[in-house]
Amino acid sequence: MQLSHGGETSPAGDPVARWSVEQVLALAPDAASRKAGTRLGTAGPWSGTGSDAKGAVWGLCKGSGSTPYRTVVDTTGPAYSCSCPSRKFPCKHALGLLLLRASDDAAFRPGEPADWAAAWIEGRRARAERKGEPAAGGDGAPGPVDTAAARKRAERRAERVTGGAQELEQRLADLLRGGLAATDRSGYGLWEETAARMVDAQAPGLAARVRELGAITGSGPGRPVRLLEECGLLHLLDTAWLGRDRLPDPLAATVRTRVGLPMSAEGPPVRDHWLVLAQYDTPDGRLVTRRIWLYGRGSGRTALLLSFGAAGRAPAQALPVGATIDAELTPYPGGGQLRAELGEQFGATAPAGPPPGIAAAAAPAVYGNALRDDPWLDAWPVTLRDVIPVPSKDGWQVADAHADSALPIAPAALSRPGLWKLVALSGGGPVTVFGEIGHRGFDPFTAWEPGEGEEAGCSTGGSIVQLV
């Protein structure tokens, strides 16, 4: 069975990045695939390996059967095809092929792809050329859109959400009237029943915030303060939805997103050379959410790509951290919203150094400014320059190498092995770190070791390490 993963090809002549071992491992859908791919990252099981100038690599991998698996990867997507029966993207053979290329580029014969690989590569490039043409139909024109029916469906859903918000306001009022201490006696069942009511009202965003209230119950010291804070934010979201007609358009769009209404990317696409800052997965009930952070070299914009996969399966969209892609992004509406949709890709360029950073002392103000556009933000992306990870009384912090200021590292990061990677990379010296700053501290995602060129004011940096 042929397995493939979408993406766009690059025009002939575009420079193609050669990925590092760490960038390849970041594409693995899970730890098991990462381990299995590492075992296949040597020349032993491979034959017929080759590459072309447009970013395609291919090879035959010896398996348990008599016929080797045919594996081909288009690194400009990235996209993968393998004759193995795996349902993972990329499979262990694709990871092994890319790991072999990362460590031994001489093992790949440059030239035209083998016949079996050429069929898949040419098919992808043909589809890329047809991208944007009208869908096939009787006259090639898209079918009519029933805007009236769509408007009525949206109005009916808004009415259901309004009913849910009004009910939630009453429950919050009853809770505060009875005292927050009463929540310990009610247990988690009270919150789960309320969350279920919000699901019935087609407001999954409200339901998620109610479940967060339930998680605070019995969470230890400081619980009443955290519960009161979250109740206040939930009340603010309720009243914002009920008075959304009086809000500025960007804030109203943010409120619609926060209560859980679906939004579509809109507005003019932004083409730029986007540096892939970080990629990580988080379980979310029955879904796995993948977050990919990008930074536009020309526009200076930071963008977030979201993709989703069923529980136990990684989302299909994946980009190598540290690479730069020439692509268009279409932003989603909303005040302070960073989410965007990946559009057409025009190719991949060579890896580059870190984006411009700010001092640690300036990060809280950046987060505070973002809260004006979206009061429900938990964190905001920032790149910190010249910081050193050092132990503190309550854990760890990143201290400014040139000033008397520091940021606490968020509790969520203290239990991850990425913290020790950051400490090892620093070795007591300053590094550049990308992550999120929020009310719980700074959560590091990616770090760069200063290179000689960076110290001289150039854009190239040293080693890049993923921390999530």
Side-chain angles (χ1 to χ4, degrees):
M1 180 180 297
Q2 292 293 110
L3 304 179
S4 61
H5 166 198
E8 300 301 328
T9 57
S10 67
D14 279 358
V16 177
R18 178 185 170 190
W19 297 345
S20 68
V21 170
E22 182 134 358
Q23 289 172 328
V24 174
L25 292 177
L27 300 174
D30 51 41
S33 297
R34 190 177 299 112
K35 183 177 181 180
T38 300
R39 290 198 297 266
L40 296 175
T42 61
W46 292 97
S47 62
T49 52
S51 62
D52 69 8
K54 296 181 181 179
V57 293
W58 58 88
L60 301 172
C61 185
K62 183 180 179 180
S64 56
S66 58
T67 303
Y69 294 120
R70 297 176 172 183
T71 307
V72 56
V73 179
D74 184 353
T75 61
T76 63
Y80 321 96
S81 176
C82 186
S83 58
C84 75
S86 175
R87 293 286 183 179
K88 297 180 180 180
F89 296 100
C91 67
K92 63 181 182 181
H93 305 101
L95 291 170
L97 183 67
L98 291 173
L99 288 171
L100 175 61
R101 184 168 185 259
S103 59
D104 187 9
D105 194 38
F108 290 78
R109 175 185 55 82
E112 294 299 317
D115 292 342
W116 58 267
W120 180 79
I121 296 170
E122 291 171 1
R124 275 185 40 78
R125 291 170 182 167
R127 289 192 295 273
E129 292 176 359
R130 293 195 301 268
K131 185 179 176 68
E133 294 181 1
D139 56 359
V145 178
D146 192 344
T147 55
R151 185 175 62 253
K152 288 181 180 179
R153 288 194 297 270
E155 291 174 351
R156 286 196 298 268
R157 179 165 186 177
E159 291 175 358
R160 293 175 67 93
V161 174
T162 297
Q166 291 171 339
E167 179 180 344
L168 184 55
E169 277 296 284
Q170 184 60 51
R171 295 199 177 199
L172 287 175
D174 293 342
L175 171 67
L176 295 177
R177 189 178 300 112
L180 295 179
T183 59
D184 287 340
R185 296 191 299 270
S186 302
Y188 188 75
L190 167 68
W191 304 109
E192 186 56 38
E193 190 269 337
T194 304
R197 294 288 300 138
M198 297 304 103
V199 172
D200 293 341
Q202 296 184 292
L206 294 179
R209 299 196 77 92
V210 169
R211 291 191 177 99
E212 290 177 4
L213 291 177
I216 296 175
T217 302
S219 60
R223 175 191 60 80
V225 174
R226 293 194 299 274
L227 187 59
L228 183 60
E229 290 174 349
E230 292 301 321
C231 285
L233 287 172
L234 188 52
H235 167 70
L236 181 64
L237 183 56
D238 281 341
T239 54
W241 169 262
L242 297 175
R244 62 191 180 281
D245 294 338
R246 301 188 299 273
L247 299 178
D249 289 342
L251 183 55
T254 297
V255 171
R256 289 194 292 271
T257 300
R258 290 296 181 183
V259 300
L261 295 187
M263 304 290 287
S264 299
E266 59 185 36
V270 179
R271 180 175 178 179
D272 205 338
H273 287 85
W274 298 95
L275 170 64
V276 184
L277 295 171
Q279 174 180 294
Y280 60 96
D281 297 345
T282 53
D284 185 13
R286 297 181 179 179
L287 294 176
V288 175
T289 303
R290 172 164 292 171
R291 290 171 171 84
I292 303 177
W293 286 104
L294 304 174
Y295 173 78
R297 289 287 186 185
S299 63
R301 299 177 62 164
T302 302
L304 174 64
L305 305 181
L306 290 179
S307 56
F308 306 92
R313 296 188 60 183
Q317 189 174 71
L319 295 173
V321 175
T324 305
I325 60 172
D326 181 5
E328 290 182 342
L329 296 187
T330 303
Y332 280 74
Q337 296 296 305
L338 297 174
R339 186 183 176 187
E341 183 176 283
L342 181 62
E344 185 174 0
Q345 298 181 45
F346 304 95
T349 61
I358 62 174
V366 172
Y367 175 50
N369 290 334
L371 285 173
R372 293 185 302 183
D373 295 325
D374 185 351
W376 303 278
L377 275 175
D378 290 324
W380 189 258
V382 293
T383 300
L384 303 180
R385 67 169 185 267
D386 295 337
V387 293
I388 304 172
V390 295
S392 65
K393 179 181 178 181
D394 300 319
W396 283 79
Q397 59 186 2
V398 284
D400 194 314
H402 308 297
D404 187 18
S405 61
L407 293 173
I409 291 181
L414 297 178
S415 60
R416 296 198 303 256
L419 174 61
W420 302 112
K421 291 183 181 180
L422 177 60
V423 174
L425 180 69
S426 167
V431 292
T432 297
V433 186
F434 169 77
E436 292 183 353
I437 177 69
H439 59 280
R440 291 186 174 90
F442 177 71
D443 195 353
F445 296 157
T446 312
W448 291 262
E449 179 187 23
E452 295 180 0
E454 188 178 5
E455 293 173 356
C458 301
S459 61
T460 57
S463 302
I464 178 173
V465 175
Q466 297 174 76
L467 309 175
V468 289

